[in-house]
Amino acid sequence: MRHIVITSLPEDERASRLRELLADRCVALTQLNPEHIRRDADALLRSVDVFIMDVTRLSEEPSALAERLLSGHPHLRIVALGECAHADLCLPARSSAETIVGAIEQTLKSNASQEVALGSLHEESVAVLEEGSRRLDFVTRLDEEVAHLSLLAEDVARGTHSGQVLARTARPVLDAARDHGLDDVARTLSGLIAQASSGQAFAEMAPAILETLRAQVRAAQLNTPTTTLSSESQSRALTVVVIDEDQDYLRRISGFADQFMIPVRTATSVAEAASKVQTPLLAGVILTPGDSDSQKSLSESIATLQKASGLPHLPLALVSDVSGILDRVQGLWAGASHVAPRPVSAVSFSQIARRLTTLRRSLQASVMVVDPRGDFAARVAEHLGDRDMAIQYLPDTRTIFDALEHHRPDLVLLSSELTGMDATDVCRSLRAVASWREIPIVLFAPRCDAATRIAAYRAGADDVIGTSISPDELTVRLSVRLERARQAAERSDRDLLTGLLTRRPFLEQLAARLSEVTRRQRRLVFAILDVDHFKDVNDRHGHLVGDRVLATLGRLLQDRFRIEDLRARWGGEEFVVVLVDEGLETSALALRRVLDEFSAMIFEGDQDTTFSVSFSAGLAAFPNDGQEAETLFSVADARLLRAKKNGRSRIEMGRTRPPIA
């Protein structure tokens, strides 16, 4: 971190204090008048590591500004003082200079550690899988590196960057390619660096060099050795479906997809897209709502895509170029994991596609294969990879518990021929840990005789198969095990009436979310909902009608919000919702839309009577209202009581903010 820019007025005392704190760390701070952002930002940000923007002082919409800046400066870290969808870090608008500096340092430190964890050969202590998996991690990410180098090459050709900038950026990629044995890629990168450094005919030579580099990266991703198996291999890359009425825009998106090597299908309408989302290799949908689309028609379009794809929780991103048509509240309500202004840039498209792919992977059935030789693991990947299953590979059992925690597989395929440890001992070890007591374990062995099967069953294995098993039988036996495990988890983790999480699994997942937002310095909102006058509903209309009210609200909560958000039935007529990476105001407005929908529903009671119901809610925000689950619950519960006392059918956020009624 060498240079930071903050949007502020010259007399801003916080900026002066920030400059003093940064000077102690040998970091320069430049103040940029918010009125001069369009004129000066692009030139100034070429040498900047972090851009701090005070959302309260901007005339331009914050998310649109962040999107525009990132398209020209993809490595820039954006810190927003206020809410901004594309910021790396959002802090309260009135955060002190000390808070800002501490948060920036922690974020950069966290980002650095995450980059190392993605596959550095020099920090083996943070790698979960062995050398083969680290190599594949690098190969999988190479397309992003090449895309960034392509953007830099265009800047060099235009004269906005020197060739030395591109050379400095490409050298670490070259070193890593050599370390991972990608000799063709390394030679081409070396040629690119030499051409950029010399500056002679670079504009004419660079396109051909980069095209060769893209082809080599694609070949490397398609031809990964069997010892580097992963669900992320390019042969099973997930497809993004993009829906927009503008054919020219779709052609531009297809160009971005080629640049980043992302499989894409395009459609000009939801009806046309209905057939294109019918693939087990679907990552998600990027949808541009029509200018005249109402909240109801948008909901119907999403329902059509969910039904056609067979995915009730379809990863979704929404984009729009019409002010007011689309906002973060509507996106959160509709279940969109990403909301962006249109047209999206190449970098933004890549980020959205990666986000959708990550979410889709989290919904796939996951199989971990522990196989020292890798031969059987290769067969499993070949036969199951196209069946909506994610395959993770582990060469041995030394890091099995770390790998299990990292990947959270739904089934373990375990070789009987392990190095240094007996497979039955591994089974017993897994069964001794509460977290893995119920996970299906299938042992595979060259000889599947009675003695092998009996020893495996006694150790806790669920099934034993031979390595010569046919592809069809392998698929059926694993699919049956996975489906039974899924049904058992549903019965254990889901409330039968509402279909939402029960308290125990909710608290487990909440702990994981809190750990993540703490580590990444992100936001989270905890909400408690309570059906108004529910006792009167039961007394007047009977418990069966009351159950129908609760089931309806449960389905509504399940249909709204995003895949990564949590919903649970807390008990009785109380529900809890956790919204990740959102602020209080946005969350409250999205919940208000759900409240409006629920209040508009007509229920039938006894003797042909009809009635409607509402709910009240209290919200608490991480980290401002607390950093522990118990604290957040207490704050949200107190605000729920205040909402009840103040008339019900309202969302209470705290004394400093007016309720949304």
Side-chain angles (χ1 to χ4, degrees), residues 199-460:
Q200 297 178 357
F202 178 80
E204 293 78 18
M205 300 292 293
I209 296 174
L210 289 165
E211 188 59 38
T212 300
L213 191 57
R214 291 190 192 98
Q216 291 170 339
V217 170
R218 187 181 293 274
Q221 292 177 329
L222 287 170
N223 298 302
T224 52
T226 57
T227 54
T228 59
L229 297 172
S230 165
S231 62
E232 301 292 338
S233 61
Q234 180 68 13
S235 58
R236 295 187 304 280
L238 299 185
T239 298
V240 176
V241 174
V242 183
I243 307 171
D244 195 286
E245 296 177 350
D246 188 343
Q247 290 277 14
D248 291 336
Y249 176 74
L250 292 177
R251 280 191 286 271
R252 191 157 65 251
I253 290 293
S254 297
F256 295 160
D258 289 341
Q259 183 180 0
F260 284 94
M261 303 177 196
I262 298 170
V264 68
R265 296 178 179 181
T266 59
T268 56
S269 67
V270 171
E272 181 187 351
S275 61
K276 298 190 176 184
V277 297
Q278 296 176 25
T279 168
L281 298 181
L282 177 68
V285 171
I286 302 175
L287 170 65
T288 304
D291 295 355
S292 59
D293 278 3
S294 64
Q295 189 168 299
K296 181 180 178 182
S297 62
L298 176 60
S299 180
E300 290 172 348
S301 295
I302 294 171
T304 298
L305 295 169
Q306 289 171 335
K307 183 177 180 180
S309 66
L311 297 174
H313 300 294
L314 175 67
L316 174 70
L318 297 177
V319 298
S320 176
D321 55 2
V322 181
S323 177
I325 290 293
L326 189 64
D327 57 24
R328 196 165 177 81
V329 175
Q330 183 174 353
L332 178 59
W333 167 85
S337 295
H338 197 98
V339 176
R342 181 184 178 276
V344 297
S345 65
V347 172
S348 179
F349 171 73
S350 172
Q351 292 172 340
I352 295 171
R354 300 286 176 189
R355 177 79 179 275
L356 295 178
T357 298
T358 299
L359 290 170
R360 183 69 183 93
R361 296 287 187 202
S362 71
L363 298 175
Q364 288 181 307
S366 173
V367 176
M368 177 173 287
V369 188
V370 185
D371 182 10
R373 296 179 59 184
D375 299 339
F376 190 72
R379 288 183 56 205
V380 171
E382 179 183 354
H383 298 314
L384 300 184
D386 292 333
R387 295 180 179 271
D388 202 22
M389 294 186 189
I391 314 298
Q392 286 95 31
Y393 170 61
L394 195 64
D396 58 45
T397 57
R398 285 178 295 174
T399 57
I400 188 168
F401 284 103
D402 288 338
L404 286 169
E405 288 295 336
H406 179 72
H407 291 290
R408 310 295 298 181
D410 300 298
L411 182 146
V412 174
L413 258 176
L414 184 65
S415 172
S416 65
E417 299 179 317
L418 299 176
T419 304
M421 191 173 186
D422 192 272
T424 55
D425 290 336
V426 175
C427 286
R428 291 188 183 93
S429 298
L430 290 174
R431 294 308 185 210
V433 179
S435 303
W436 309 113
R437 198 164 288 155
E438 303 299 328
I439 190 170
I441 301 175
V442 177
L443 206 71
F444 60 90
R447 295 178 56 193
C448 198
D449 54 26
T452 301
R453 294 196 301 273
I454 290 171
Y457 296 146
R458 283 177 173 167

Side-chain angles (χ1 to χ4, degrees), residues 1 77 102-116 519:
M1 184 169 63
R77 304 287 184 196
I104 291 173
E105 286 183 331
Q106 188 62 37
T107 298
L108 292 178
K109 190 184 300 181
S110 173
N111 286 330
S113 66
Q114 288 171 14
E115 290 167 4
V116 170
R519 185 176 66 255

Side-chain angles (χ1 to χ4, degrees), residues 472-542:
D472 289 343
E473 185 180 355
L474 172 68
T475 301
V476 170
R477 287 173 77 163
L478 294 188
S479 297
V480 167
R481 290 288 173 193
L482 286 165
E483 179 60 20
R484 286 180 179 171
R486 186 193 66 78
Q487 291 176 354
E490 286 285 313
R491 287 194 296 271
S492 171
D493 296 349
R494 296 280 170 179
D495 175 59
L496 293 178
L497 179 63
T498 64
L500 301 178
L501 289 173
T502 55
R503 186 177 297 196
R504 178 191 55 79
F506 168 78
L507 289 174
E508 291 174 355
Q509 294 189 35
L510 175 60
R513 296 292 195 280
L514 286 173
S515 175
E516 182 182 1
V517 296
T518 300
R519 185 176 66 255
R520 297 174 57 209
Q521 298 224 350
R522 296 292 190 178
R523 297 170 299 169
L524 176 147
V525 170
F526 184 99
I528 303 177
L529 287 64
D530 186 272
V531 179
D532 295 328
H533 300 297
F534 185 69
K535 184 178 183 301
D536 291 345
V537 173
N538 280 336
D539 291 343
R540 292 179 184 177
H541 305 288

Side-chain angles (χ1 to χ4, degrees), residues 547-566:
D547 285 350
R548 196 155 61 239
V549 171
L550 296 178
T552 301
L553 179 55
R555 283 196 302 272
L556 184 60
L557 293 174
Q558 195 74 276
D559 291 341
R560 299 296 172 250
F561 308 120
R562 304 158 304 180
I563 296 169
E564 58 266 41
D565 298 323
L566 302 179

